[in-house]
Amino acid sequence: MSSTVGTAPSRPVDSLEGRRGMRMSDFVVREAVLPSLRAASKEEAIREMVASLRASGHIKASEEESIVKAILKREQLATTGIGRGVAIPHTKHEGVDRLVGTIALSEAGVPFDSLDNQPVHIFVLLISPQDRPMEHLRALDNVATHLRDDLFCRFLRQARTREAIWELLQEVDQTVRR
Amino acid sequence: MNAEPNLTVRTTGLSQPALPGAPGTSTMPSDSYRRTIVIRNPQGFHMRPAAALAAAARRFQSQATVIHGDRRGNARDILSLLMLLAGFGSEVTLEVRGPDAAEAVEVLAAILGAEEPPDPVPPTPVPKKG
């Protein structure tokens, strides 16, 4: 016998049925990919990545500072430097009407208050609309799937150009079921 | 149809006590507990609750697994938790096995069922002036 205690959620349940795999190329902006960050601090890294998205035309210049501050505020709640040289800084922001993101690499590594106290070499920055939490979760699912792959991380860190990074993303995108 | 013993009694959040044998928690042999929890965070089980759960899970000797549909996540591993894709209202199953499983299932279920995650890292204190 099985019983359910408590009241049902007032909003529709996010069902596993009908979900689809999201690809890196669905949200990573090719023109905003940074193969070599100049940043030496958490704030500089976030500013550099957001500026790259603004320069690519995917966020408005008028929203840039607000988005940077929102990401920094999120970092104050808990670091997104999850260890193994990886960080996923992100925010939900009204300044975007679709999920956008970028990937940035730092050969020297950036201090990021990571859980393992190690510098970050791989950044995946995400900016999501405020009203689409499942889209945000799908992007995190995609990013987590690839960042758990040591070989992917190794090849990513070896990439020296935007084109080389994009080719690698396209390669892993082919493994996503749609 | 197989007549397997029912191991799961559904609960939501911490609405049921979790002592071994108490309503709301199924007890399996060797200090094992299994609980079904509804995700009540409006943003779903995203990165901050995942980080809070992983930090809490690492404090216990027991092994904890979170299951959503056909996906299983090691509760100590943030990335594997992010792959659960558990949105608001989703039901997830928490399995905890080990010597301190009774306490662990309480703590981890509370984080999974919370509307807002606890901060895994205390906020940076503001320096005093003067």
Side-chain angles (χ1 to χ4, degrees):
Chain A
M1 190 178 78
S2 185
S3 64
T4 301
V5 180
T7 55
S10 57
R11 284 199 276 151
V13 170
D14 282 316
S15 170
L16 285 174
E17 293 175 15
R19 74 184 181 190
R20 68 178 182 87
M22 186 178 272
R23 296 182 175 185
M24 283 273 193
S25 54
D26 288 337
F27 56 90
V28 173
V29 176
R30 181 177 184 169
E31 302 79 27
V33 168
L34 295 169
S36 183
L37 273 178
R38 293 185 297 274
S41 70
K42 174 181 279 199
E43 180 168 346
E44 286 175 9
I46 289 167
R47 286 191 178 281
E48 206 173 329
M49 288 184 279
V50 175
S52 186
L53 282 167
R54 187 254 306 140
S56 72
H58 285 78
I59 60 173
K60 294 176 187 168
S62 58
E63 302 284 0
E64 183 176 353
E65 186 61 23
S66 172
I67 289 171
V68 167
K69 284 182 174 164
I71 296 172
L72 289 171
K73 188 176 176 185
R74 166 62 183 83
E75 289 292 329
Q76 284 182 332
L77 292 173
T79 183
T80 62
I82 54 176
R84 299 170 65 242
V86 168
I88 314 172
H90 60 270
T91 191
K92 297 184 179 77
H93 198 277
E94 61 191 5
V96 293
D97 55 13
R98 56 165 286 236
L99 172 64
V100 292
T102 186
I103 289 181
L105 305 178
S106 170
E107 190 170 358
V110 177
F112 212 79
D113 307 318
S114 294
L115 296 176
D116 61 359
N117 297 314
Q118 296 300 307
V120 169
H121 298 275
I122 299 173
F123 296 88
V124 182
L125 181 135
L126 301 172
I127 307 168
S128 306
Q130 288 182 317
D131 57 351
R132 276 175 259 170
M134 272 316 286
E135 190 178 60
H136 182 73
L137 289 184
R138 285 193 184 96
L140 287 176
D141 168 35
N142 174 289
V143 171
T145 300
H146 296 313
L147 293 181
R148 287 186 86 214
D149 181 343
D150 288 337
L151 204 56
F152 171 76
C153 291
R154 198 174 307 160
F155 288 164
L156 192 55
R157 286 184 62 177
Q158 290 169 7
R160 291 287 177 268
T161 65
R162 182 173 291 160
E163 290 69 31
I165 294 170
W166 191 254
E167 279 179 22
L168 186 59
L169 299 190
Q170 287 191 307
E171 198 174 310
V172 295
D173 270 352
Q174 290 174 8
T175 65
V176 178
R177 277 186 304 149
R178 302 204 80 156
Chain B
M1 185 174 167
N2 293 336
E4 292 182 359
N6 175 47
L7 294 176
T8 302
V9 177
R10 293 179 180 173
T11 69
T12 54
L14 283 181
S15 58
Q16 296 274 356
L19 294 172
T25 301
S26 298
T27 306
M28 293 182 282
S30 308
D31 295 309
S32 299
Y33 298 88
R34 181 180 170 97
R35 179 120 32 119
T36 302
I37 297 148
V38 175
I39 300 295
R40 298 205 165 276
N41 187 312
Q43 303 301 319
F45 192 65
H46 59 99
M47 193 162 174
R48 201 148 60 88
L53 188 75
R58 289 192 204 105
R59 295 201 297 266
F60 294 98
Q61 293 180 59
S62 297
Q63 296 295 315
T65 304
V66 184
I67 303 159
H68 180 221
D70 60 356
R71 300 186 173 206
R72 300 173 70 88
N74 177 345
R76 296 180 183 181
D77 178 355
I78 297 175
L79 290 176
S80 93
L81 292 172
L82 291 179
M83 293 164 62
L84 290 170
L85 205 51
F88 175 79
S90 297
E91 279 190 359
V92 298
T93 301
L94 171 66
E95 286 184 359
V96 188
R97 300 177 186 204
D100 50 5
E103 184 188 357
V105 75
E106 278 290 318
V107 171
L108 302 182
I111 295 170
L112 275 167
E115 290 185 19
E116 283 290 327
D119 292 338
V121 179
T124 306
V126 178
K128 291 179 181 175
K129 292 181 180 177

